[in-house]
Amino acid sequence: MPTTGLIVCSTRSPRAGLQISTFIHETIKHAHPQASITVIDLAEWSLPLYNEPGIPSRITSAEGYMHEHTKAWSREISRYDSFIFVTPQYNWGYPASLKNAIDYLFNEWKGKPAMVVSYGGHGGGKAAAQLQQVLQGLRMVPLESTVGLTFPEKEIMARAAMGEDLGLGGEGGFWAGEKEEIQRLFGELVGVVEKSS
Amino acid sequence: MPTTGLIVCSTRSPRAGLQISTFIHETIKHAHPQASITVIDLAEWSLPLYNEPGIPSRITSAEGYMHEHTKAWSREISRYDSFIFVTPQYNWGYPASLKNAIDYLFNEWKGKPAMVVSYGGHGGGKAAAQLQQVLQGLRMVPLESTVGLTFPEKEIMARAAMGEDLGLGGEGGFWAGEKEEIQRLFGELVGVVEKSS
């Protein structure tokens, strides 16, 4: 089974991103019990705003970076065969926390398949589309489809922003219907990795 | 004359962004000597990755933020009638430094006209287009056209990445031809501010 890094892209405090990522993780494990998925929480990584002197595309090993945080991040991302990005939408785009984590590296991402799940008042589709373009710029292999998780009401979106429990465990609450699409896309992701290896 | 904040969006060290911003500033002042333009260098602001607990769209004064750096940033952006964003393109998108500075605020940007100048190996047009969408998400009023400054050779792009002097002063070097378009768009920006006030 290929290894997958599931990246929690929101680093806000409070945030909804971690419980949404857990929902996605559990949804996938339910359909693909053998899946090898590791959660990578950008809030725990706390990367500072890009502060390397070099250009990532010209650096081919962790030792080529100046800072310890970059070397560790390079080693982490090098470990996985594929990625799932779980991202909020801020002002019709991806969050700085995600773009910063991406731009620190290049060859560690290159050539690897990726799946995008976005969330927001309208499902975060604009952030997903911008992110897909960035993944292409990185020479990754994004799946054609993305999953957009829409908060069903303004009041739930407000609760999400406050980091309150959205009841996504078990049956999946208001996103029960989206589980099948998440499972299907993960199957596609694994297929792309296996075909390319 | 309306006031304009010219935002230097790259915070890399070394970087080309500051000399490119200076080139744009001087180009505009040459055609519009009365222009009231203030350079806002994101590298000097050193905002940390977003760490406010609140949602910017619901905050209507600097005092509504928790951190001193956000209050100061709110006061700074509130000062200007319009903005020029000078941005590099990283991996087919805008840099995290810029998105982070944008996402800290909302009502301070809202309703204000903006002009985008991007630079890169192909002029940074993909970053400019993504940024235009974000400015619309912020309810700003971006000009329809953007300016893309293309490094004429790979070797010059490498020198730019190292922060070397690109000879943009005086006659403007390899971007002499782009001066007119920058001046024309600034005139348009001022026109939009004056029409809306």
Side-chain angles (χ1 to χ4, degrees):
Chain A
M1 200 72 174
T3 57
T4 301
L6 188 156
I7 305 184
V8 186
C9 302
S10 164
T11 59
R12 280 184 61 241
S13 173
R15 62 176 172 168
L18 192 58
Q19 61 178 306
I20 294 171
S21 298
T22 302
F23 161 69
I24 293 163
H25 192 181
E26 285 172 358
T27 295
I28 293 172
K29 289 295 270 185
H30 192 77
H32 304 266
Q34 286 88 18
S36 167
I37 297 177
T38 304
V39 173
I40 303 169
D41 185 348
L42 293 186
E44 285 178 15
W45 277 86
S46 298
L47 293 164
L49 267 171
Y50 190 83
N51 62 355
E52 284 284 328
I55 302 290
S57 61
R58 298 189 205 146
I59 297 172
T60 51
S61 88
E63 296 316 302
Y65 298 103
M66 173 178 284
H67 300 292
E68 279 312 315
H69 59 255
T70 318
K71 290 178 188 180
W73 183 234
S74 167
R75 283 191 291 265
E76 177 71 4
I77 295 307
S78 297
R79 268 188 201 113
Y80 305 99
D81 302 315
S82 61
F83 297 92
I84 302 169
F85 293 94
V86 181
T87 184
Q89 175 169 303
Y90 295 164
N91 297 313
W92 296 12
Y94 39 76
S97 49
L98 166 56
K99 188 58 163 37
N100 191 51
I102 283 177
D103 288 342
Y104 258 104
L105 311 175
F106 187 89
N107 293 298
E108 296 84 344
W109 303 110
K110 197 179 165 186
K112 294 179 182 173
M115 166 177 163
V116 172
V117 184
S118 60
Y119 55 93
H122 297 88
K126 288 187 169 77
Q130 292 200 351
L131 176 57
Q132 293 275 89
Q133 185 175 52
V134 167
L135 301 182
Q136 283 162 16
L138 281 171
R139 313 294 185 266
M140 292 186 82
V141 186
L143 300 181
E144 242 178 74
S145 303
T146 63
V147 183
L149 301 173
T150 304
F151 294 113
E153 298 161 36
K154 282 217 159 175
E155 182 252 334
I156 288 174
M157 190 148 168
R159 280 175 44 208
M162 312 261 279
E164 288 176 22
D165 180 29
L166 300 174
L168 301 173
E171 295 303 309
F174 45 78
W175 287 333
E178 279 80 355
K179 286 182 156 186
E180 214 172 305
E181 181 65 0
I182 292 168
Q183 291 161 343
R184 191 184 71 72
L185 277 191
F186 181 76
E188 215 181 279
L189 185 73
V190 171
V192 175
V193 179
E194 288 177 343
K195 221 171 91 181
S196 68
S197 62
Chain B
M1 201 70 176
T3 56
T4 301
L6 188 157
I7 305 183
V8 186
C9 301
S10 164
T11 60
R12 281 183 59 240
S13 173
R15 62 178 171 166
L18 191 58
Q19 61 179 306
I20 294 170
S21 299
T22 302
F23 161 70
I24 293 162
H25 192 182
E26 285 173 359
T27 295
I28 293 171
K29 289 295 268 187
H30 192 77
H32 304 267
Q34 285 88 19
S36 167
I37 297 177
T38 304
V39 174
I40 303 169
D41 186 348
L42 294 186
E44 285 178 15
W45 277 85
S46 297
L47 293 164
L49 266 170
Y50 190 83
N51 62 356
E52 284 285 328
I55 302 290
S57 61
R58 297 189 206 143
I59 297 172
T60 50
S61 87
E63 295 316 302
Y65 298 104
M66 172 178 285
H67 300 292
E68 279 312 314
H69 58 256
T70 318
K71 290 178 187 178
W73 183 234
S74 167
R75 283 190 291 264
E76 176 71 5
I77 295 306
S78 296
R79 267 190 201 111
Y80 305 99
D81 302 315
S82 62
F83 297 92
I84 301 169
F85 293 93
V86 181
T87 183
Q89 175 170 303
Y90 295 165
N91 297 312
W92 296 11
Y94 39 76
S97 49
L98 167 56
K99 188 58 162 38
N100 191 52
I102 284 177
D103 288 343
Y104 259 103
L105 311 175
F106 186 89
N107 293 300
E108 295 84 344
W109 302 112
K110 197 179 165 186
K112 295 180 182 173
M115 166 178 163
V116 172
V117 184
S118 60
Y119 54 92
H122 297 88
K126 288 187 168 79
Q130 292 199 351
L131 176 57
Q132 292 276 90
Q133 186 174 52
V134 167
L135 301 182
Q136 284 162 16
L138 282 171
R139 312 295 183 267
M140 292 185 82
V141 187
L143 300 182
E144 243 179 72
S145 303
T146 62
V147 183
L149 301 174
T150 304
F151 293 114
E153 298 163 36
K154 282 217 159 174
E155 183 251 334
I156 288 174
M157 190 152 167
R159 280 175 44 208
M162 312 261 279
E164 289 175 22
D165 179 30
L166 299 174
L168 300 173
E171 293 303 308
F174 44 79
W175 287 333
E178 279 81 355
K179 287 182 156 186
E180 215 172 304
E181 180 66 0
I182 293 168
Q183 290 161 343
R184 191 185 70 74
L185 277 191
F186 181 76
E188 217 180 277
L189 185 73
V190 170
V192 175
V193 180
E194 288 176 345
K195 221 170 91 180
S196 69
S197 61

